[in-house]
Amino acid sequence: MTQTQDDTRTRTFGWTDPAEHASQIGRRSGLELLRAMSAGEFPAPPIMHLIDTVGMRVDEGSVTVELDPQEFHYNPLGTVHGGVLSTLLDTAAACSVHSTLPAGVGYTSMDLNVKFLRPVTIASGRLTCTGSVLQRGRRTALAEARITDSAGRLIAHATSSCMLFEIPTA
């Protein structure tokens, strides 16, 4: 982030072609794809660059995403916008479902129910958001995600339902 003389801050970032991700859906299992992203062997999707996540850990049925709060995440009240926190929760919950899917099976979020418990600022330190699968069937899955701050305090909690479907082959 840079600052100009009139105190306007700017930010520049880049991302990879999202078609690269889309081309891998159905070819690899969710766990393989997410582990490749976590290891830096496959680029992160554009949303991860947009919100500036700093790390991801992947196990089957559980995904953890980390974020250092920045000024560009703030709302007019001077705290991290709930949409940024919701994006973290949605990412961790949905990716935890993705980590359980074999090649050829896709998913989409059907809902996200969020509870915000504490405000977040830069002083909160690194946020850790861990998603885990609560139940997975043939057509739907239920997952939860929790955000904690650097002191280990619970910041927000969410549940998400995902629809599972076969990816059509061309």
Side-chain angles (χ1 to χ4, degrees):
M1 185 167 65
T2 59
Q3 190 170 353
T4 62
Q5 287 187 346
D6 68 352
D7 201 35
T8 300
R9 290 157 171 86
T10 61
R11 176 174 173 244
T12 303
F13 63 97
W15 62 93
T16 57
D17 182 355
E20 190 172 345
H21 288 275
S23 72
Q24 293 301 306
I25 301 300
R27 294 181 182 191
R28 293 175 155 182
S29 74
L31 186 60
E32 290 169 336
L33 186 62
L34 291 167
R35 282 189 172 159
M37 275 192 271
S38 177
E41 299 162 5
F42 191 71
I47 187 64
M48 303 302 249
H49 297 285
L50 178 65
I51 65 171
D52 203 22
T53 59
V54 295
M56 183 166 87
R57 292 183 304 279
V58 179
D59 290 306
E60 186 170 0
S62 178
V63 170
T64 299
V65 181
E66 296 176 324
L67 177 100
D68 292 328
Q70 303 294 322
E71 284 182 342
F72 59 81
H73 294 133
Y74 278 20
N75 61 27
L77 301 174
T79 60
V80 171
H81 191 282
V84 173
L85 299 175
S86 294
T87 298
L88 274 180
L89 291 161
D90 181 55
T91 298
C95 285
S96 69
V97 170
H98 193 188
S99 74
T100 69
L101 301 180
V105 177
Y107 72 97
T108 190
S109 297
M110 296 191 314
D111 62 30
L112 181 70
N113 298 300
V114 177
K115 301 294 182 197
F116 301 107
L117 304 171
R118 296 179 190 280
V120 175
T121 65
I122 291 171
S124 300
R126 180 161 290 172
L127 302 180
T128 302
C129 183
T130 300
S132 57
V133 175
L134 298 174
Q135 185 277 335
R136 193 190 119 209
R138 290 180 318 144
R139 296 182 185 193
T140 62
L142 177 65
E144 71 171 349
R146 298 168 168 262
I147 299 175
T148 56
D149 65 11
S150 62
R153 295 177 298 187
L154 185 61
I155 298 297
H157 176 267
T159 57
S160 177
S161 301
C162 293
M163 179 173 49
L164 312 179
F165 52 87
E166 286 188 38
I167 297 172
T169 55

